[in-house]
């Protein structure tokens, strides 16, 4: 620090560009590179030419209730980060699934703070064991997307401490996370990049010693944010600090000691990730692609939640001669959610491909989509694209102001990302996508453009449209990247007719709306479609002829993404109708739900089985085949309440800029009026379990951890894993309390007939509440009720625990460290 001038120090506190931090040779500091997380490590480019292993989304990971698996996925991401030269992964997201409408629901772990914290801490340990920093984001109360840049979240102090801060506490204390991100929103009036919660709670109470960075473009003030415990403004090179901060320090508005504190945090991070001369970091061994695939296949299956099974699963191969695989997501699945979490997987195994590969030639597999999952015009699929030279793909031409060609690129996709580094090349005036499309059948072809700015579509040299696309009023920046507006043109083609298509974008024409941010540009194509009725009729006919039907329904990017919330929990399009009609045609219909968040399932009682897969990563199809055919057990348990209706759910719509968390402590299953189609914690394996006995300590001293022992027997016919869950409640409390809360969990596995003991650790916090008046954690001495079972409503064993206040308490025995019980010995 002594070697750095004030100017050098301040320079370090704003990013060098979109993803990297400044180097400082004077102190042997190389540049530090950040990248999103958490579905994979995207790296510097937003491009299919720089693929990344696509892991199951965080909800899927939390659904496994498997901490060692979260460590393993973290390790894999660290290897990916190292491979791509990334030092800081911008994950995990620790915000809670407060409402199923939240657009980034798929990117959160759970509605429960204990589960989110434990899976999050394990993930962080895995990432950081590889010498790569994880980032606890977004601090705090950034639990939905509407007006996220400005919304003022009004949340009571108890809910803030007991729910929203709790996962951050676990990830700081037990995960030792090295980096954190301050969110866009305000909390109780104060923008989070200026909030006293950064110093008072994150640094102070939780003891976080890493770097606090702003979410991208979240820092909007100079002095107020610099005086808070924010260390780093992202992205750069511009922003509210830089010269303005230097001046503020010089005139005494910001103390130089505060600058030193920030630089020190940055150097500590640099030291941890090996970015300072002479500091080594762990070097994970890169694994072979086949090993990565095996982990991702296992991880996907571990997160699948089987919520209903009339006995059809696992499928008996011997009875399947003909399988119908139906649904929009069967051949076009979603393996990851939209927004900054986007990565470009090297490949995707679709449900259709996975089942075909597993079943081989002896089984006839029929397929049709049956219904569409979205209304938007899709990106022109790779199968339609031929470069003018004849090879597959598109040719991208970079054209100068004077019309001369600056360069070309051959690309496999018609969805491009125009990075600002390209736009900063002053000579570039137009970016053109050239391709030849050959009609497979006669009929109307809808060709279009997606993006912001000016787009000109030409077909065989004639201009079809030349138009400006502008974002919807009030649209978030990310919304403009994920689901930009579209322009369309319909043309009638004869079978085998070929057309030359050129989509040109005027570079810089989106500057007014997008500023200096990158841009998404796509050429769209929808070939002639059968009518909706005809598609459903076709699906019903295939179902009727099949021995078993697998229907893969889901959402699309236009419904579930960062940047906006959902308006409805219904499956988009005519998917509900499709499922009902298919189920009526075949009683062995298995519903596969490929969404990141809950959707309403009005046909739930009509199908033989329902498997929730979330966004499961690139190995989706293989994992699905493993589970349907019984090679792997569906390992998941619901990490959130799956609601049965929309009435009564917390809204994410701010009113006059304010979003009130009126439900207080009653989030999800904690609410006494929670109406669930499937309860928090629910999920079926392929075996059965008997809950035999539970032993809990009769007394626990205030502030001490405890342990509950639960004895269970596998009464089924195959080896299986059970997630034993313990919930606490306090029926006669003098305080406002949730109806129940998850106190601990322990997964166990057993062979058929085997009895095993699940030892469930209960942290001291389980019996504590936040005393807002005194500003500290407190215990309401007396009797707490514990229930053990397989979901928050299927509790088979109970016990009472008396928590003694600190004075009258007996200390826990030194041998165990926590008062426990011995029913399993
Ligand atoms: C998101 C962050 C993300 C950042 C960088 C923001 O819009 O909220 O989660 O890490 O962009 O992509």
């Amino acid at each position: 620090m002594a070697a750095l001038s004030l100017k050098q120090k301040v320079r370090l506190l704003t990013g060098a560009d979109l993803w990297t931090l400044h180097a400082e040779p004077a102190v042997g500091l190389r540049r530090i590179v950040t990248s999103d997380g958490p579905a994979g490590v995207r790296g510097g480019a937003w491009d299919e030419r720089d693929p990344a292993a696509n892991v199951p989304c965080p909800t899927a990971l939390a659904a496994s209730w498997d901490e060692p698996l979260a460590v393993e996925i973290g390790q894999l991401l660290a290897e990916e980060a190292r491979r791509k030269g990334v030092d800081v992964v911008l994950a995990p997201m620790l915000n809670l699934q407060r409402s199923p409408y939240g657009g980034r629901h798929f990117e959160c772990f759970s509605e429960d703070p204990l589960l989110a914290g434990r899976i999050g801490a394990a993930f962080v340990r895995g990432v950081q064991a590889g010498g790569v920093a994880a980032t606890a984001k977004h601090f705090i109360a950034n639990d939905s997307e509407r007006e996220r840049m400005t919304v003022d979240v009004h949340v009571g102090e108890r809910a803030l401490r007991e729910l929203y801060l709790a996962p951050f506490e676990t990830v700081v204390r037990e995960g030792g996370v090295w980096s954190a991100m301050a969110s866009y929103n305000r909390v109780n009036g104060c923008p989070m990049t200026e909030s006293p919660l950064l110093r008072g709670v994150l640094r102070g109470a939780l003891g976080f010693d890493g770097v606090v960075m702003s979410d991208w473009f979240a820092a909007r003030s100079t002095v107020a944010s610099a005086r808070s415990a924010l260390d780093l403004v992202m992205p750069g090179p511009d922003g509210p600090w830089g010269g303005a901060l230097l001046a503020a320090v010089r005139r005494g508005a910001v103390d130089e000691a505060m600058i030193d504190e920030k630089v020190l945090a940055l150097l500590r991070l640099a030291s941890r990730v090996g970015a300072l001369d002479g500091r080594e970091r762990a070097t994970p061994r890169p694994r072979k692609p086949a090993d990565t695939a095996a982990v991702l296949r296992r991880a996907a299956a571990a997160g699948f939640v089987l919520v209903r099974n009339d006995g059809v699963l696992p499928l008996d191969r011997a009875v399947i001669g003909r399988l119908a695989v139906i649904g929009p997501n069967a051949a076009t699945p979603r393996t990851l959610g939209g927004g900054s979490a986007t990565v470009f997987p090297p490949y995707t195994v679709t449900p259709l491909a996975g089942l075909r590969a597993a079943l081989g030639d002896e089984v006839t597999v029929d397929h049709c989509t049956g219904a569409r999952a979205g209304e938007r015009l899709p990106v022109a699929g790779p199968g339609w694209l031929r470069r003018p030279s004849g090879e597959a793909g598109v040719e991208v031409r970079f054209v100068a102001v004077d019309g001369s060609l600056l360069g070309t690129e051959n690309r496999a996709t018609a969805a491009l990302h125009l990075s600002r580094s390209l736009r900063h090349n002053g000579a570039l005036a137009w970016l053109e996508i050239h391709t030849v499309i050959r009609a497979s059948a006669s009929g109307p072809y809808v060709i279009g453009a997606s993006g912001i700015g000016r787009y000109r579509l030409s077909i065989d040299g004639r201009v079809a449209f030349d138009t400006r696309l502008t974002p919807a009023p009030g649209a978030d920046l990310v919304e403009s990247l994920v689901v930009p507006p579209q322009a369309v043109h319909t043309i009638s083609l004869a079978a085998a007719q070929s057309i030359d298509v050129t989509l040109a974008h005027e570079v810089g024409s989106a500057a007014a709306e997008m500023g200096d941010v990158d841009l998404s540009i796509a050429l769209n194509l929808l070939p002639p479609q059968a009518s909706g009725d005809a598609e459903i009729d076709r699906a019903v006919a295939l179902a009727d002829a099949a021995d078993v039907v697998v229907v893969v329904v889901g959402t699309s990017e236009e419904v579930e993404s960062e940047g906006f919330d959902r308006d409805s929990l219904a499956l988009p399009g005519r998917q509900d109708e499709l499922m009902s009609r298919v189920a009526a045609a075949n009683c062995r219909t298995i519903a596969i739900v490929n969404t990141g968040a809950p959707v309403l399932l009005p046909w739930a009682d009509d199908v033989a089985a329902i498997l929730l897969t979330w966004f499961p990563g690139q190995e989706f199809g293989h994992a699905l085949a493993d589970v349907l055919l019984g090679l792997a057990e569906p390992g998941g348990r619901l990490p959130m309440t799956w609601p049965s209706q929309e009435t009564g759910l917390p809204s994410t719509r701010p009113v006059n800029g304010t979003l009130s968390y009126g439900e207080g402590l009653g989030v999800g299953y904690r609410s006494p009026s929670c109406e669930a189609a499937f309860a928090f914690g629910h999920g079926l394996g392929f075996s059965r379990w008997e809950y035999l006995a539970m032993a809990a300590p009769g007394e626990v001293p205030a502030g001490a951890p405890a342990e509950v022992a639960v004895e269970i027997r596998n009464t089924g016919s195959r080896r299986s894993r059970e997630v034993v869950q313990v919930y606490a409640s306090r029926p006669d409390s003098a305080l406002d309390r949730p109806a129940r809360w998850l106190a601990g969990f322990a997964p166990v596995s057993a062979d058929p007939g085997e009895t095993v003991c699940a030892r469930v650790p209960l942290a001291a916090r389980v019996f504590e509440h936040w005393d807002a008046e005194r500003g500290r954690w407190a215990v309401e001495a007396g009797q707490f009720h514990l229930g053990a079972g397989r979901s928050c409503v299927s509790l088979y064993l109970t016990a009472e625990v008396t928590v003694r206040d600190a004075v009258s308490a007996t200390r826990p025995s030194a041998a165990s460290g926590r008062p426990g019980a011995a029913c399993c010995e």
Side-chain angles (χ1 to χ4, degrees):
M1 289 263 284
L4 294 173
S5 67
L6 178 62
K7 198 171 166 196
Q8 283 172 313
K9 286 191 274 193
V10 167
R11 178 176 158 273
L12 290 179
L13 304 181
T14 297
D17 59 27
L18 199 52
W19 304 115
T20 67
L21 278 51
H22 285 289
E24 181 47 84
V27 290
L29 172 67
R30 68 159 169 80
R31 72 182 196 134
I32 291 176
V33 180
T34 69
S35 172
D36 289 299
V41 182
R42 190 174 56 245
W46 190 291
D47 208 305
E48 85 284 359
R49 292 169 299 182
D50 187 12
N54 174 200
V55 308
C57 74
T59 303
L61 192 56
S64 73
W65 299 57
D66 186 340
E67 290 161 285
L69 179 67
V71 172
E72 208 177 336
I73 292 297
Q75 284 165 342
L76 180 72
L77 293 187
E79 289 165 27
E80 286 283 284
R82 299 297 298 271
R83 180 172 72 77
K84 293 187 164 216
V86 168
D87 305 289
V88 181
V89 173
L90 304 174
M93 177 160 173
L94 297 171
N95 302 108
L96 293 186
Q97 291 165 339
R98 169 182 170 260
S99 166
Y101 295 108
R104 294 178 88 169
H105 199 280
F106 66 87
E107 216 178 323
C108 303
F109 289 121
S110 173
E111 74 182 21
D112 181 83
L114 182 131
L115 180 60
R118 277 179 56 179
I119 296 295
F123 175 92
V124 168
R125 287 196 297 271
V127 172
Q128 295 189 169
V132 172
T135 306
K137 72 185 189 184
H138 311 83
F139 192 86
I140 190 134
N142 182 188
D143 309 291
S144 49
E145 297 294 278
R146 250 190 203 97
E147 299 176 28
R148 65 175 174 156
M149 300 280 173
T150 52
V151 66
D152 186 10
V153 172
H154 283 197
V155 51
E157 217 182 313
R158 274 194 67 198
L160 188 63
R161 298 277 178 161
E162 294 178 25
L163 299 178
Y164 300 99
L165 284 166
F168 286 87
E169 177 173 2
T170 311
V171 163
V172 170
R173 297 224 170 114
E174 290 168 29
V177 70
W178 296 341
S179 157
M181 190 186 283
S183 55
Y184 291 122
N185 54 295
R186 294 166 176 258
V187 171
N188 299 330
C190 188
M192 280 314 301
T193 46
E194 302 170 9
S195 171
L197 293 172
L198 295 178
R199 191 179 302 286
V201 177
L202 183 59
R203 284 226 183 283
L206 309 192
F208 175 70
D209 71 352
V211 162
V212 183
M213 67 177 79
S214 71
D215 198 345
W216 268 230
F217 307 103
R220 279 154 281 189
S221 67
T222 303
V223 173
S225 60
R227 281 186 176 163
S228 79
L230 185 73
D231 301 313
L232 175 67
V233 165
M234 286 304 285
D238 306 319
W241 287 6
L245 180 55
L246 196 59
V249 178
R250 287 192 175 136
R251 68 170 188 274
V254 176
D255 199 337
E256 189 168 345
M258 288 185 164
I259 303 296
D260 289 351
E261 188 184 84
K262 300 178 196 310
V263 174
L264 199 59
L266 213 65
L267 294 178
R268 192 179 296 121
L269 174 71
S271 164
R272 285 170 164 164
V273 302
L276 273 184
D277 276 356
R279 298 286 169 150
E280 293 301 318
R281 66 170 172 180
T283 307
R285 200 167 30 90
R287 64 185 89 194
K288 297 192 189 84
D291 296 340
T292 302
V295 174
L296 298 183
R297 183 171 183 160
R298 178 162 47 82
F304 290 171
V305 183
L306 182 61
V307 291
R308 174 181 166 85
N309 184 10
D310 72 357
V312 71
L313 293 180
L315 289 170
D316 178 357
R317 284 179 82 120
V319 303
I320 322 174
R322 191 166 206 115
L323 177 74
V325 181
I326 293 171
N329 290 37
T332 314
R334 283 195 88 188
T335 65
L336 51 84
S340 58
T342 303
V343 297
F344 297 84
Y347 62 88
T348 295
V349 184
T350 70
L352 182 62
L355 284 164
R356 280 201 167 125
L359 291 169
D361 294 341
E362 296 117 68
V363 177
T364 306
V365 178
D366 297 319
H367 166 65
C368 75
T369 54
R372 290 183 65 195
E375 297 300 318
R376 279 171 68 82
L377 201 55
V379 173
W384 289 99
L385 307 171
R386 286 267 167 272
R387 301 206 301 266
S389 56
E391 292 93 355
V394 305
E395 182 180 302
V396 181
R397 294 187 193 158
F398 300 93
V399 181
V401 185
D402 63 4
S404 62
L405 195 59
L406 295 167
T408 60
E409 274 179 6
N410 293 332
R411 298 287 297 272
T413 165
L416 307 178
H417 194 73
L418 179 57
S419 88
R420 61 187 184 156
S421 55
L422 266 174
R423 284 191 291 143
H424 281 181
N425 173 350
L428 183 63
W430 288 90
L431 177 139
E432 297 178 355
I433 300 174
H434 290 258
T435 195
V436 176
I437 290 174
R438 184 171 183 272
S440 55
S442 301
Y445 286 71
V446 188
I447 303 178
S450 310
I452 307 286
R454 183 176 167 196
Y455 290 83
R456 192 173 60 210
L457 178 76
S458 308
I459 296 175
D460 289 336
R462 271 193 305 280
V463 175
F465 60 68
D466 185 346
T467 187
R468 273 195 67 81
L469 293 170
T470 50
D476 184 276
L477 202 68
V478 171
E479 185 175 357
S480 300
L481 289 169
V482 177
V483 282
Q486 300 186 312
V488 300
H489 172 77
T490 304
I491 180 170
S492 247
L493 299 178
Q497 183 182 346
S498 285
I499 48 172
D500 286 332
V501 175
T502 303
L503 179 65
H505 166 66
E506 186 183 1
V507 175
S509 61
E513 292 92 356
M514 300 295 284
D516 214 11
V517 171
D518 298 2
L519 210 63
S520 295
I521 299 170
L523 171 72
N524 306 100
L525 174 71
L526 187 67
Q529 298 291 297
S531 75
D533 289 341
E535 256 304 296
I536 293 186
D537 288 347
R538 189 163 164 231
V540 170
L542 291 186
D544 197 33
D547 300 308
V548 174
V549 189
V550 172
V551 186
V552 191
V553 289
T555 55
S556 68
E557 256 186 16
E558 82 202 60
V559 177
E560 270 190 278
S561 167
E562 178 180 342
F564 50 92
D565 293 333
R566 282 191 294 170
D567 291 320
S568 154
L569 301 189
L571 278 167
R574 294 175 68 178
Q575 296 184 86
D576 284 335
E577 189 187 342
L578 169 72
M579 189 69 83
S580 299
R581 296 260 324 265
V582 167
N586 192 317
C587 64
R588 303 177 87 197
T589 293
I590 300 160
I592 311 297
V593 181
N594 179 205
T595 66
V599 286
L600 299 178
L601 309 175
W603 34 260
D605 293 338
D606 306 331
V607 294
I610 304 173
L611 184 71
L612 314 175
T613 65
W614 320 109
F615 298 146
Q618 70 195 40
E619 282 288 324
F620 185 3
H622 286 148
L624 183 68
D626 289 347
V627 166
L628 296 186
L629 297 171
L631 303 175
E633 204 178 25
R637 304 291 184 268
L638 278 174
M640 89 291 287
T641 304
W642 196 277
S644 56
Q645 53 174 16
E646 300 202 40
T647 322
L649 296 174
S651 166
T652 64
R653 276 179 198 280
V655 177
N656 296 328
T658 298
L659 182 62
S660 291
Y661 283 12
E663 68 289 341
L665 298 170
V667 170
Y669 75 92
R670 294 175 179 233
S671 162
S673 57
C674 173
E675 289 273 346
F678 302 110
F680 178 87
H682 172 68
L684 308 166
F686 284 152
S687 194
R688 289 185 308 278
W689 294 87
E690 192 180 350
Y691 278 68
L692 302 170
M694 169 176 183
E699 268 186 32
V700 178
E707 186 178 87
V708 169
V710 182
E711 206 169 67
I712 59 171
R713 182 162 52 234
N714 180 353
T715 56
S717 56
R718 52 182 286 162
R719 184 167 175 82
S720 179
R721 173 178 177 269
E722 173 77 339
V723 180
V724 175
Q725 304 161 37
V726 174
Y727 293 84
S729 60
R730 182 68 190 259
D732 63 343
S733 178
L735 298 162
D736 177 26
R737 296 261 187 195
R740 57 185 99 78
W741 60 98
L742 180 68
F745 64 91
V748 283
S749 297
D751 287 324
E754 194 187 349
T755 297
V756 285
C757 174
R759 294 198 169 275
V760 183
L762 308 186
R765 198 62 97 221
V766 167
F767 303 112
E768 293 176 338
H769 63 272
W770 180 254
D771 182 338
E773 242 167 61
R774 294 193 175 80
R776 61 173 165 79
W777 291 99
V779 165
E780 182 187 20
Q783 211 172 62
F784 286 78
H785 179 79
L786 297 180
R790 43 196 349 234
S791 83
C792 72
V793 294
S794 307
L795 301 173
Y796 309 112
L797 303 167
T798 61
E800 309 299 325
V801 172
T802 300
V803 179
R804 296 268 171 233
D805 62 36
V807 182
S808 59
T810 38
R811 306 308 303 170
S813 79
S816 68
R818 52 170 58 142
C823 77
C824 310
E825 267 131 35

